[in-house]
Amino acid sequence: MAPRLLGVSLKMYFGHERALGWCRDIAALAREHPAVRSGAVELAVMPSYLAVPEALAILDGVAVVGGQDLAAADKGAFTGEVSGAELAEIGCRVVEVGHAERRALFGETDAVVRAKTAAALRHGLTPFLCVGETDRPDDPANAADACVRQVDDALGDAADDSDGGAPIVVAYEPRWAIGAPEPAEPAYIRAVCSVLRAHVRGLTAHPGSRVVYGGSARPGLLTAVADDVDGLFLGRFAHDPAALAAILDEAHALDAQDGSADPTAAHPTASSR
Ligand SMILES: O=C(CO)COP(=O)(O)O
């Protein structure tokens, strides 16, 4: 079984020193934790841009690191932007694209998300492509349809720009569940993610693509949705390293149930920059 993927975006919650301290705590945890050591879990951390270079050094060998956004363009007169080329140059392997907050607060349109997805793939960055319905629909099938459309739309420019063959990560993040006290119900998440997962597994230009759930994800959720998701995309509930440790424990227990743990396997993120 492929490793479970646990992504964490620190958004803009922490200052610089707190972000680096958190990275050090997570690095220490991950180095010791059997779920990471065995390769059962792959960690991806997206701090704010300023913390990315030091996060890369601190988390080297235990987590991939990336930006929370990237520019659609590769270079030029784009004040305030950071290109995928620069993120890749310093060692990033992943980048968020089209997060609900970027769409809602910074006016990112579908066309922008399309261009940024293409830019990520062009520079060898795995996009964490964020999709999700705005309002809670009655029927998860409607949410799944909307998400499938968002994924296909976001990849619309990528086929020509990318070499093909690079996986993506689809982060299913219903906007109504982000920043909420509780995540969406497990049955709802499973219903949407099972459709999305079947869809992304059929993306022949992006083999190995995965689906993770985000939106108030917290300890206990992975176990409840594990059959239909490839992992979680965590926000606030990863701020406490003990909570992340609890989720790693869950992943380890799930891996033992799968019977696929290979304690001798190299960690998939272990290659250095
Ligand atoms: O948006 C998220 C991750 O990208 C989730 O954030 P919260 O878990 O804090 O709701």
Side-chain angles (χ1 to χ4, degrees):
M1 175 150 185
R4 289 192 167 83
L5 178 58
L6 296 180
V8 182
S9 167
L10 296 181
K11 305 196 182 187
M12 204 180 74
Y13 280 111
F14 293 172
H16 192 64
E17 283 310 321
R18 187 171 171 203
L20 298 184
W22 181 90
C23 287
R24 284 185 205 101
D25 288 347
I26 298 312
L29 166 67
R31 281 205 179 86
E32 296 302 318
H33 202 286
V36 180
R37 291 174 66 91
S38 70
V41 165
E42 184 180 358
L43 287 172
V45 173
M46 287 81 154
S48 61
Y49 282 134
L50 287 178
V52 165
E54 281 180 82
L56 279 161
I58 294 167
L59 292 163
D60 190 22
V62 288
V64 293
V65 173
Q68 297 173 11
D69 185 26
L70 80 169
D74 291 343
K75 61 167 147 176
F78 300 99
T79 301
E81 293 285 90
V82 175
S83 71
E86 186 174 345
L87 290 171
E89 181 187 345
I90 66 167
C92 290
R93 304 252 299 272
V94 293
V95 68
E96 283 182 73
V97 177
H99 189 275
E101 287 148 15
R102 301 288 324 160
R103 297 188 200 236
L105 302 174
F106 303 101
E108 285 199 3
T109 61
D110 290 344
V112 170
V113 172
R114 239 183 346 262
K116 290 186 174 185
T117 304
L121 289 165
R122 192 158 65 234
H123 294 290
L125 298 166
T126 300
F128 267 57
L129 173 59
C130 302
V131 300
E133 74 282 6
T134 309
D135 302 312
R136 187 190 183 112
D138 297 335
D139 185 350
N142 294 336
D145 284 351
C147 292
V148 163
R149 275 199 302 278
Q150 287 174 36
V151 169
D152 288 348
D153 190 76
L155 289 170
D157 289 348
D160 292 341
D161 287 341
S162 74
D163 296 330
I168 65 167
V169 173
V170 172
Y172 170 53
E173 301 207 318
R175 291 186 209 181
W176 52 268
I178 296 173
E182 296 289 336
E185 293 79 16
Y188 186 95
I189 295 170
R190 293 178 63 152
V192 177
C193 287
S194 58
V195 173
L196 261 179
R197 194 144 81 149
H199 185 71
V200 306
R201 285 181 176 178
L203 295 172
T204 49
H206 304 283
S209 294
R210 290 179 278 178
V211 174
V212 298
Y213 169 81
S216 307
R218 60 197 310 165
L221 185 66
L222 184 64
T223 306
V225 298
D227 289 346
D228 293 300
V229 305
D230 299 306
L232 298 176
F233 196 15
L234 296 148
R236 290 158 297 144
F237 294 106
H239 289 180
D240 179 358
L244 193 58
I247 298 169
L248 287 173
D249 290 348
E250 282 179 62
H252 186 54
L254 287 163
D255 196 56
Q257 279 171 29
D258 296 339
S260 64
D262 176 2
T264 62
H267 190 280
T269 62
S271 60
S272 294
R273 285 180 280 152

